[in-house]
Amino acid sequence: MDNAAGEMRVFIAVVENHGFAAAGKHLNMSPSSVSKLVSRIEGRLQTRLLLRSARTASLTAEGEVYYRSACRILADIRHTESMLSQGPNVTPRGQLRISASVPFARCVLLPLIPEFTELYPEIELDFSLNDSSIDLMQNTADIAIRVGAVNDCPLKARKIGESRRTLVASPGYLARYGIPDHPENLEQHRCIGFNFHQGLNEWLFKEPSNGRGITKRISSAIAASDGETVRQLALLGMGIARLASFHIGEDIEEGRLVPLLQEYHYGRNEPINALFVDHTHLAARVRAFVDFFAEKLSRQKTPSYLRKKSFLEVHPQPRAIQRNAVL
C-alpha cells in the first residue's frame, strides 16, 4: 500500500467502515497497519484528516475534502481502465490517427469510410494524407498505410492486400512520341519520376521469352513529390509514369491513359501494409480499423483491363502479423 491510489483505498475503507479495526478486517490488514498508513498520509499532507477515538474515527473538514477527492479519483481510475480494456466485448472508441498516401486514400480508403463510421460511431478519425514517410515511433499516427516492400524497423505490419504497378501514358503523348515496345526503349522517352524516394524510379520488368529480370533506372524528365501530381502530369501528356493500378484504373478504363509494356510486367505485386507500433495489447480502435479494411479489400473486383490479374490480391489470413516494416 505504498502508492497514492492504495493509500486512498485504505482511507476510504476507514471512513466507510467507521474505524480502523473494521477497515482492517475489510482489507485483511491489522488495525495498527491501517492506522500507520493514515498517519503517513496526514504526515505527508501536514494536516489532520481524522479525529480518532477508542472505537471510531470521524472526518475533519480537511478529511472530508480528501475523502471526496479520493472517491472521485478512484472512480476515474476504474472508468479509465474499463474504457481501455482490451476484452472481447470492448467498444472501439477514441481518436484514431491514420496516415496514407493521397492516391490510396482517394481511391480506396475514403469511399469505405461512411460504412466504417456507421459500424464504429465512437471512433474519431484523423487523416494525414501524404506520400512521404512518417515516424510512428514519434507518436505522429496510430496507423500508416503504405504500398510497397517493407524493411527493418521496430514496427508491425499487417499485410491487407497487394497492388500492381502499371506503366501508362496519355494518348496525346503516345501520338507525339510513339509507343515503346521494349523496356530498353524507355531511354528514348520522357519519364515522370518521384523526387522523395529513388527506389520508385527503378522500374522492374521481366523478359517474357526467358524470364530474365530487367531493371531500368529512369532519368526523369520531370519529377514530383506525390503520386497524384505524377498522375496529373501523365494526363497532361508530359511523359510515361509508373503508378498503382488502383490509382489509374479509371483513367485506363475511360481511355485517358494507356497501359504500356504489360507483357514485360515483372510478375510480382507490391504489398499493401497497415503499419503500427508493436504493443502487447493492440488498441481496439486500431484492430477494428485494420480488420475492417482487410476484409473490404478482399472483395475488390479485378479491373477488366488486367483480365485475371487483380490489382488488389488479398491474402487469406487476415490476422497474420509480419515483422520488419518500414514506412
Side-chain angles (χ1 to χ4, degrees), residues 61-242:
E62 294 78 9
E64 180 71 27
V65 172
Y66 185 85
Y67 170 72
R68 293 185 180 278
S69 295
C71 289
R72 184 178 64 253
I73 290 168
L74 293 184
D76 287 343
I77 290 174
R78 288 191 296 270
H79 172 74
T80 300
E81 290 181 345
S82 175
M83 181 178 67
L84 298 179
S85 169
Q86 297 304 302
N89 298 319
V90 67
T91 299
R93 58 168 56 90
Q95 185 184 57
L96 182 62
R97 298 165 301 167
I98 303 156
S99 171
S101 69
V102 174
F104 186 84
R106 181 179 68 84
C107 301
V108 180
L109 192 64
L110 297 183
L112 295 171
I113 290 302
E115 183 177 353
F116 178 80
T117 56
E118 186 73 21
L119 287 173
Y120 302 105
E122 296 188 53
I123 295 180
E124 304 165 9
L125 298 175
D126 184 335
F127 291 101
S128 295
L129 304 182
N130 58 76
D131 285 14
S132 59
S133 299
I134 65 167
D135 188 353
L136 267 68
M137 301 303 292
Q138 295 299 317
N139 199 33
T140 55
D142 300 301
I143 301 173
I145 299 178
R146 290 294 181 263
V147 180
V150 295
N151 300 309
D152 291 336
C153 96
L155 297 175
K156 280 190 176 181
R158 170 96 166 265
K159 188 175 181 179
I160 60 175
E162 291 186 353
S163 171
R164 178 188 174 103
R165 287 195 177 269
T166 301
L167 252 63
V168 292
S170 71
Y173 173 87
L174 297 175
R176 183 176 181 182
Y177 294 100
I179 301 174
D181 58 6
H182 192 277
E184 298 294 344
N185 295 339
L186 290 172
E187 296 175 1
Q188 304 166 18
H189 284 265
R190 297 172 59 86
C191 295
I192 307 171
F194 291 87
N195 59 20
F196 70 93
H197 187 349
Q198 290 304 310
L200 293 174
N201 297 328
E202 292 184 352
W203 295 358
L204 305 179
F205 303 93
K206 185 169 66 175
E207 192 73 56
S209 60
N210 55 24
R212 178 177 64 88
I214 303 171
T215 300
K216 295 296 295 181
R217 184 171 183 82
I218 65 164
S219 178
S220 303
I222 187 168
S225 63
D226 63 271
E228 181 57 23
T229 302
V230 171
R231 170 180 170 267
Q232 291 294 333
L233 290 168
L235 289 169
L236 291 170
M238 298 302 297
I240 297 174
R242 181 172 177 266

Side-chain angles (χ1 to χ4, degrees), residues 19-32:
F20 297 103
K25 184 177 181 180
H26 177 73
L27 298 170
N28 197 26
M29 297 173 62
S30 68
S32 61

